[in-house]
Amino acid sequence: MAAGKHHVEKLISVERIQAKVKEIAKDIKRDFADKKPLIVPILKGSFVFAADLVRELDMDFTVDFLSVMSYGQSTKSSGIVQMVKDLETDIKDRHVIIIEDILDSGLTLEYLEEYLMLRKPASLSLVALLVKDVERTVDIPVKYKGFDIPDKFVVGYGLDFAQKYRGLPYIGEVIFHDEVSK
Ligand code: IMP
Ligand code: MG
């Protein structure tokens, strides 16, 4: 779907993000300091958040990546999750911490949770920087949450709109000038 005319308005500032990242890191350290967890950022959207978060974690951990795609060029979830890159690490008996940029419909995480639980990790916890205020058909327990946001399409700090805006240092809302293009 074409991007159409739009602009971006700031929703969450760099300072608020930084403070929240520190808080989340503190909670993770409290719970996992002696457990050498495996940190799993879900690509691509969470790469900026994850990079900031791990630099606040002065504890033992390892990192591996998962890449999934569910969106294409549109702003609505297709409901179909495609595994683009799987983990390289054996997660059996490991404490796995999934890092997500945003929880929207929850379909991506529902799929991932089922998929990863088959490999029998010691535990599976979820960090989500943003949680959208939408009605979800699936129940996804977020252990460490950054911000609740309204049901708007957001970009920046790793999040994209048709692959654009990932490098914005803040989180912004996409304002569509022509609703048809949404
Ligand atoms: P879900 O499966 O509907 O929960 O969608 C999860 C994925 O969709 C996220 O990891 C994001 O990559 C993407 N996504 C959902 N909402 C937004 C948004 O507002 N902006 C950018 N990407 C989004
Ligand atoms: Mg994503």
Side-chain angles (χ1 to χ4, degrees), residues 111-178:
Y111 168 85
L112 281 180
E113 192 195 354
E114 268 178 37
Y115 185 77
L116 295 175
M117 284 311 284
L118 291 175
R119 299 179 187 173
K120 309 219 177 311
S123 70
L124 188 60
S125 312
L126 173 64
V127 183
L129 179 66
L130 305 171
V131 175
K132 245 189 223 188
D133 182 19
V134 295
E135 274 195 36
R136 273 175 278 277
T137 55
V138 291
D139 179 34
I140 307 289
V142 180
K143 187 161 183 188
Y144 310 97
K145 180 170 71 174
F147 303 94
D148 286 301
I149 61 163
D151 184 12
K152 306 286 184 188
F153 199 77
V154 294
V155 292
Y157 200 64
L159 289 134
D160 74 304
F161 175 37
Q163 299 304 321
K164 274 182 69 181
Y165 303 117
R166 291 194 196 276
L168 278 185
Y170 54 85
I171 290 164
E173 175 189 345
V174 178
I175 311 287
F176 295 94
H177 301 179
D178 168 12

Side-chain angles (χ1 to χ4, degrees), residues 67-132:
S67 184
V68 293
M69 256 174 48
S70 66
Y71 258 52
Q73 304 283 53
S74 168
T75 60
K76 287 276 165 262
S77 182
S78 64
I80 300 161
V81 181
Q82 188 195 344
M83 175 78 65
V84 180
K85 184 206 164 291
D86 203 340
L87 292 172
E88 291 163 16
T89 311
D90 180 8
I91 63 168
K92 188 166 185 314
D93 299 329
R94 295 289 305 273
H95 292 278
V96 177
I97 304 178
I98 295 182
I99 313 288
E100 254 292 33
D101 48 4
I102 185 165
L103 174 63
D104 186 6
S105 73
L107 294 171
T108 307
L109 285 166
E110 186 194 37
Y111 168 85
L112 281 180
E113 192 195 354
E114 268 178 37
Y115 185 77
L116 295 175
M117 284 311 284
L118 291 175
R119 299 179 187 173
K120 309 219 177 311
S123 70
L124 188 60
S125 312
L126 173 64
V127 183
L129 179 66
L130 305 171
V131 175
K132 245 189 223 188

Side-chain angles (χ1 to χ4, degrees), residues 40-73:
V40 180
I42 308 301
L43 299 175
K44 303 174 194 167
S46 70
F47 81 108
V48 176
F49 173 41
D52 281 349
L53 187 64
V54 296
R55 281 179 290 180
E56 296 293 334
L57 288 178
D58 46 342
M59 58 181 255
D60 249 3
F61 62 86
T62 58
V63 180
D64 198 354
F65 299 96
L66 256 181
S67 184
V68 293
M69 256 174 48
S70 66
Y71 258 52
Q73 304 283 53

